[in-house]
Amino acid sequence: RELRIGFARASRGIGTAAVVPRFAATIAAISDQRYACAIEIGCAHGVLTRSLAPLCDDLVAIDISARAIASIC
């Protein structure tokens, strides 16, 4: 419980709009290759996950929030 509360406080105020430009830069930097496998730790609602998936044969996306994972499955 303490970990979840601490994580929620640390991430408060960081919305999707704030990170989308960084995600676009990440995808642009790695999109010239195909990857056999990848892991995304802290995938939240899957904004970056959806862009990574087409580049990977296997992608594991992990988040502490079951609700976040359920929203992308």
Side-chain angles (χ1 to χ4, degrees):
R1 176 120 174 101
E2 290 177 8
L3 177 62
R4 291 181 187 178
I5 291 169
F7 181 80
R9 286 185 185 144
S11 65
R12 190 176 298 146
I14 300 174
T16 301
V19 295
V20 168
R22 284 185 276 163
F23 291 167
T26 298
I27 295 301
I30 66 170
S31 64
D32 62 335
Q33 297 185 51
R34 178 113 187 119
Y35 301 89
C37 58
I39 184 169
E40 182 187 4
I41 300 171
C43 65
H45 296 286
V47 175
L48 180 59
T49 309
R50 287 183 185 90
S51 296
L52 286 173
L55 304 175
C56 306
D57 294 332
D58 291 304
L59 173 62
V60 175
I62 300 171
D63 198 278
I64 194 168
S65 169
R67 186 184 310 173
I69 295 294
S71 74
I72 60 174
C73 292

